[in-house]
Amino acid sequence: MTATQREGATQREGASQREGASQREAVVILDFGSQYSQLIARRVRELEVYCELIPYNAPLEQITRLNPLGYILSGGPASVYETGAPHLPDFILTTKKPVLGICYGMQLLTYHLGGQVNPSSEREYGPAEIELLDPSHVPLFSDAEITTSKLAAWMSHGDRITRLPSGFRALAQSKNSPYAAIGNPERGLYGLQFHPEVTHTPQGKALLRAFLYQVCGCHGGWTPGNFIAESIAQIQAQVGQGKVVCGLSGGVDSSVVAALLHRAIGDQLTCIFVNNGLMRQNEPAQVAQTFEKEMHARLAAIDATEDFLSALAGVTDPEAKRKIIGEKFVRIFEAEARKLGQVDFLAQGTLYPDVIESATPPLTPPASGGGAREGLAAKIKTHHNVGGLPDDMHFELVEPLRYLFKDEARAVGEALGLPKEIVWRHPFPGPGLAVRLLGEITWERLETLRAADAIFIEELWAADWYHRTSQAFAVLLPVQTVGVMGDYRTYGNVIAIRAVTTDDFMTADWARLPEELLARISNRIVNEVSGVNRVVYDISSKPPATIEWE
Ligand code: XMP
């Protein structure tokens, strides 16, 4: 991203974030690069408290606009005493608000408040038993679910605290950590050496609940119903009497956005469905049908297949594909909008993981070996509805789901009364089959991929496995392999099939599909899809792979 692009993106985000700012109660999680940072955010939201995960070095205004009731400092891969290690922002030391430091977050707090942190000879990783000390006098341990002083906890740290800052005391210990939990309860400052956000710490959620409700004084109520009411008010405030176009793909995110906007602004909204030629078998007709049946907003359906395919001809680089597609979409929306008169806003179903995973990497690379996830998540791929938009786009963005995780967007969809077939549909990426067709995009290759994908999905439904996977699809590889069919040598295409299970799409495991089902899928694909002589099953988890292949 160039400086101008970054500025453009920031302005657009600024616009939607400004509108997103509200008086709702919130907690801020400062991200120091832990692989579990998003998990902390999810847990807090599950506890019905709104939170945002913000890089530790973000501008202060990004934090103060939320007027947080408390702060959680995430873990991270660095060591506090290393040069260039992510530092604790000054305001944390002077804030009168409660702070909970987790792992690296606790070490940072200790270090900056005058305590001492040292490397330990061995990394402590895995399950541990911790013993709470005098729990009845510690608000952090006051949740009703904490009924015993011995808790199972998940540790993952190399450094350890060797001297506490003044005013702090040990609140829990383990065999290897005399300071498994520390605190200055009078000031609402706490540190946990273990990770309360992971399921391997069974009472972790109870500890977080106590921090949010007993220590920070949160009241809760972050629920889909409240979210809908708040979003409607925000959308109305942002849009006023203006007109909005909404790119509709037929998936859950854009459908939820369309339904929410329609509730908020009625016929000021026009949905635009673009058939870009990169959709799955029969999908354009299905989307139009479902929209007509279930939604009541205006719809403009456009067939732009030729336009997209000619722009993508000869392009093989995945990021280039995304940029081209993102730009094309916007140009088509602009052209359609011109037909509607003055339209100032484009609504889209950007989700929080899209925002996090499309983040621009820190300008200065971490010196501390913090790796890809220091402070800001490293850019993994440009999800086209976030980073792939042209700079000179003529719309201001309306992105009501920008701070929601997928399961939260689904809960909102259900609360809005959308049918299950939309809410529980597997996600489909904005750039469509372009990122599942590795190499060059041609109509013939698209048709091969569509046919294989349709067989795969049909068999998943037939075996009652569709809803036991979170996302499933076929990928056409850019290689040819030798096969034998009848008595003849073939040199044909390879289809990879991918099925994953995940809650949040940030991490995922490959689905353990039954062998007979895999055999049937493979058999049908090589027999029914001409030009394919090999099928492989992708058994990679995310990380280290991503869900899509590009
Ligand atoms: P990855 O491949 O990053 O995918 O593990 C995580 C989830 O995001 C979807 N995805 C996209 N969605 N535009 C989108 O709207 C994109 O460019 C894009 N890339 C991936 C993916 O299908 C999965 O659900």
Side-chain angles (χ1 to χ4, degrees):
M1 219 188 219
T2 63
T4 332
Q5 281 174 324
R6 198 173 299 116
E7 202 175 297
T10 312
Q11 276 166 7
R12 285 195 299 273
E13 281 164 24
S16 58
Q17 282 173 0
R18 233 183 357 266
E19 301 310 329
S22 80
Q23 295 315 305
R24 72 160 87 93
E25 86 178 9
V27 161
V28 161
I29 300 158
L30 286 184
D31 185 8
F32 292 92
S34 162
Q35 56 177 321
Y36 300 133
S37 296
Q38 284 95 41
L39 215 46
I40 307 174
R42 286 177 51 75
R43 294 286 171 262
V44 171
R45 302 263 189 103
E46 281 163 16
L47 291 163
E48 299 192 355
V49 172
Y50 181 75
C51 65
E52 282 186 27
L53 177 64
I54 298 185
Y56 74 95
N57 52 0
L60 188 56
E61 312 79 77
Q62 200 180 331
I63 293 161
T64 48
R65 77 183 164 84
L66 292 168
N67 192 19
L69 289 178
Y71 297 93
I72 299 179
L73 315 177
S74 85
S79 290
V80 291
Y81 46 81
E82 276 175 5
T83 336
H87 55 272
L88 194 65
D90 290 342
F91 73 87
I92 290 290
L93 297 173
T94 50
T95 182
K96 303 255 181 312
K97 306 282 175 63
V99 180
L100 172 65
I102 297 175
C103 199
Y104 181 75
M106 151 168 153
Q107 292 160 9
L108 263 184
L109 201 58
T110 303
Y111 182 71
H112 286 272
L113 288 170
Q116 194 165 351
V117 179
N118 285 109
S120 52
S121 47
E122 274 172 37
R123 192 176 164 77
E124 193 180 6
Y125 182 82
E129 186 181 74
I130 61 159
E131 186 188 356
L132 308 183
L133 307 170
D134 196 15
S136 52
H137 291 101
V138 179
L140 189 67
F141 302 146
S142 62
D143 191 86
E145 260 183 43
I146 299 176
T147 51
T148 104
S149 60
K150 298 248 164 93
L151 306 182
W154 184 261
M155 296 280 188
S156 172
H157 63 108
D159 297 348
R160 58 168 58 204
I161 289 169
T162 45
R163 194 185 67 234
L164 290 178
S166 85
F168 275 68
R169 63 178 198 268
L171 302 178
Q173 62 189 14
S174 73
K175 203 162 116 239
N176 293 318
S177 298
Y179 301 125
I182 62 168
N184 179 341
E186 294 71 33
R187 281 184 61 192
L189 302 178
Y190 292 94
L192 300 175
Q193 186 59 82
F194 55 92
H195 288 270
E197 68 276 23
V198 304
T199 47
H200 305 291
T201 303
Q203 269 86 24
K205 207 162 164 180
L207 293 171
L208 290 172
R209 189 188 298 117
F211 178 70
L212 297 171
Y213 287 88
Q214 311 304 327
V215 180
C216 297
C218 295
H219 294 93
W222 164 251
T223 60
N226 289 347
F227 170 84
I228 291 169
E230 259 184 39
S231 300
I232 288 177
Q234 277 170 14
I235 292 165
Q236 289 168 340
Q238 184 183 1
V239 168
Q241 295 305 309
K243 286 189 188 156
V244 183
V245 289
C246 171
L248 187 90
S249 67
V252 56
D253 311 335
S254 63
S255 303
V256 171
V257 168
L260 203 51
L261 264 107
H262 191 242
R263 266 209 201 174
I265 56 167
D267 279 350
Q268 285 166 257
L269 169 73
T270 303
C271 293
I272 302 183
F273 169 65
V274 179
N275 177 3
N276 54 9
L278 304 167
M279 307 195 76
R280 292 163 292 187
Q281 208 161 70
N282 300 330
E283 198 166 14
Q286 269 166 13
V287 173
Q289 255 172 25
T290 314
F291 187 91
E292 210 161 279
K293 198 166 120 226
E294 306 291 347
M295 323 258 292
H296 307 287
R298 299 166 185 222
L299 178 70
I302 291 143
D303 188 348
T305 304
E306 283 306 316
D307 205 5
F308 274 84
L309 294 195
S310 55
L312 288 165
V315 179
T316 54
D317 175 63
E319 285 295 283
K321 288 179 184 173
R322 281 190 161 80
K323 293 269 177 195
I324 291 171
I325 294 167
E327 159 128 29
K328 273 274 158 230
F329 267 121
V330 169
R331 298 302 170 220
I332 291 170
F333 294 151
E334 282 173 349
E336 278 309 299
R338 276 194 292 277
K339 297 183 194 160
L340 299 169
Q342 175 68 30
V343 175
D344 293 317
F345 301 94
L346 170 67
Q348 55 175 11
T350 311
L351 292 184
Y352 207 19
D354 305 336
V355 176
I356 295 170
E357 293 200 349
S358 296
T360 318
L363 296 178
T364 323
S368 56
R373 295 247 328 104
E374 184 179 78
L376 287 170
K379 174 154 140 184
I380 309 215
K381 41 182 99 160
T382 309
H383 285 199
H384 86 81
N385 49 4
V386 181
L389 298 175
D391 290 324
D392 58 350
M393 173 176 98
H394 292 124
F395 297 115
E396 183 175 319
L397 291 176
V398 182
E399 297 182 308
L401 312 185
R402 193 178 169 83
Y403 294 99
L404 295 198
F405 291 102
K406 189 88 187 179
D407 48 352
E408 292 173 323
R410 285 191 160 133
V412 169
E414 286 195 324
L416 284 167
L418 289 178
K420 285 205 169 352
E421 77 220 51
I422 293 184
V423 172
W424 291 101
R425 214 166 167 224
H426 286 178
F428 185 58
L433 296 183
V435 291
R436 296 180 178 172
L437 197 123
L438 278 51
E440 201 179 341
I441 298 166
T442 63
W443 187 254
E444 193 193 350
R445 296 189 77 220
L446 277 166
E447 287 289 272
T448 303
L449 178 56
R450 273 192 264 269
D453 187 75
I455 292 170
F456 181 27
I457 300 300
E458 189 182 306
E459 287 297 333
L460 282 184
W461 275 108
D464 200 17
W465 265 90
Y466 183 84
H467 283 308
R468 288 150 83 182
T469 63
S470 313
Q471 196 168 5
F473 52 89
V475 179
L476 178 60
L477 304 191
V479 289
Q480 304 230 296
T481 66
V482 174
V484 51
M485 269 178 165
D487 287 329
Y488 292 97
R489 175 190 192 270
T490 58
Y491 191 53
N493 288 308
V494 184
I495 288 284
I497 53 177
R498 176 99 165 120
V500 295
T501 53
T502 170
D503 284 332
D504 54 14
F505 298 87
M506 306 286 289
T507 59
D509 196 7
W510 57 280
R512 281 15 180 208
L513 297 182
E515 279 174 27
E516 331 66 83
L517 175 58
L518 288 168
R520 204 160 45 244
I521 293 162
S522 164
N523 194 276
R524 277 195 64 194
I525 291 177
V526 289
N527 279 298
E528 295 175 35
V529 184
S530 107
V532 175
N533 66 1
R534 191 178 296 268
V535 175
V536 295
Y537 187 45
D538 181 347
I539 52 168
S540 338
S541 61
K542 173 185 179 177
T546 54
I547 296 175
E548 303 288 346
W549 276 45
E550 285 197 336

